[in-house]
Amino acid sequence: MSSNIRIEKRCLQCGKIFTAKTTVTKYCGADCSKRGYKARKRAEKIKLTEVEAKQTIQQPITELQAKEFLSIEEVCKLLGVSRTTIWRMTKSGQIQTANFGRRKLISKKSISELFVFPLEEEQSNEVDITFDIDECYYINEILSLYQISEKALYDLIKRFKIPKIKVGKFVYVPKEKIDSLLK
Ligand SMILES: [Zn+2]
C-alpha cells in the first residue's frame, strides 16, 4: 500500500537526513539498508560467540572431558591454552576441524593424537643417528606436502624403519629418507 506520508528521518546507517515514505523506514536507500542488515547479522554472530564462550566458562571441566566433539572454546578451556593457539594449530593442520553450519568442531581424538604417538614399540630400532631438525620434516608437513594419510605415512615409517624423534608435541623424520621414498 503506497502512502502519501513524507517523514524526515535520520538514516540509521549513514546518518543522513532523508524523506521516508513509511514510518518504519530506517535507512535512506537500498545500499544503507543492505549495510545495516549485514551489521545486524555481524552483531548477532558476535553475540552468539560471546554466549557460547560464557556457557563454556560455566561448564564444568568433567563435562568437557566426557565430550567426544568440542568447540574451539571448549578445547581452549580443556587444555588451558589461548584461542589464538588453537586457531593457529587448526590452520597449520595440527588439529583437524569440521564445520557444522557456523560452528567449528574438533574431535577429542584428534587432540589426544597430539600427545600419543606410536613411538614406544619402535624405540627398539636403536637409532644412533643425530637429528638435525632443519633436515627433518614434521609429520603434518609430510602429510600436506605429499598428500598421503597419516596412517599410510606411519606404515611407511614402520616398514622402512625410518628413524624419528619427538620434540615437544612434534615427531620429526629426516627429509632425505622421506623424499627418497615419496618423491
Ligand atoms: Zn543512509
Side-chain angles (χ1 to χ4, degrees), residues 9-176:
K9 280 198 156 194
R10 189 178 288 276
C11 173
L12 279 185
Q13 185 60 28
C14 69
K16 259 190 259 166
I17 302 290
F18 69 102
T19 309
K21 289 181 183 155
T22 78
T23 52
V24 292
T25 310
K26 291 177 189 145
Y27 303 102
C28 68
D31 274 359
C32 280
S33 171
K34 225 181 269 171
R35 272 186 217 121
Y37 173 79
K38 276 189 186 155
R40 274 204 310 281
K41 283 283 156 199
R42 214 177 305 130
E44 274 170 26
K45 204 173 170 182
I46 291 169
K47 212 169 182 181
L48 188 81
T49 315
E50 280 170 359
V51 168
E52 273 176 14
K54 208 170 176 186
Q55 282 171 348
T56 305
I57 291 167
Q58 289 160 355
Q59 208 168 14
I61 201 109
T62 47
E63 225 171 82
L64 293 183
Q65 284 162 344
K67 286 176 87 170
E68 203 57 46
F69 300 97
L70 302 157
S71 70
I72 291 190
E73 282 80 15
E74 288 171 335
V75 172
C76 294
K77 185 179 177 183
L78 193 64
L79 301 181
V81 297
S82 75
R83 215 186 140 81
T84 322
T85 303
I86 297 299
W87 269 112
R88 226 184 353 233
M89 291 177 82
T90 61
K91 269 199 157 167
S92 71
Q94 292 169 62
I95 296 180
Q96 305 285 333
T97 62
N99 290 318
F100 291 86
R102 51 166 65 166
R103 302 197 63 194
K104 245 188 215 321
L105 292 181
I106 297 168
S107 79
K108 174 74 74 47
K109 199 166 160 275
S110 76
I111 299 292
S112 311
E113 276 167 2
L114 290 173
F115 298 94
V116 190
F117 279 96
L119 275 186
E120 294 79 356
E121 49 176 324
E122 275 130 309
Q123 262 157 9
S124 55
N125 280 5
E126 263 161 74
V127 275
D128 268 342
I129 65 162
T130 37
F131 276 83
D132 179 357
I133 293 299
D134 289 338
E135 293 303 314
C136 289
Y137 291 126
Y138 68 89
I139 296 300
N140 279 293
E141 211 174 354
I142 304 167
L143 301 186
S144 60
L145 190 63
Y146 287 109
Q147 297 292 315
I148 65 167
S149 76
E150 196 168 344
K151 191 187 174 301
L153 178 58
Y154 274 111
D155 284 349
L156 275 183
I157 291 174
K158 201 168 179 178
R159 186 141 47 98
F160 292 94
K161 292 192 166 41
I162 298 172
K164 55 188 192 291
I165 189 173
K166 199 176 175 192
V167 180
K169 288 173 190 165
F170 296 96
V171 172
Y172 290 87
V173 290
K175 277 182 184 171
E176 190 202 336

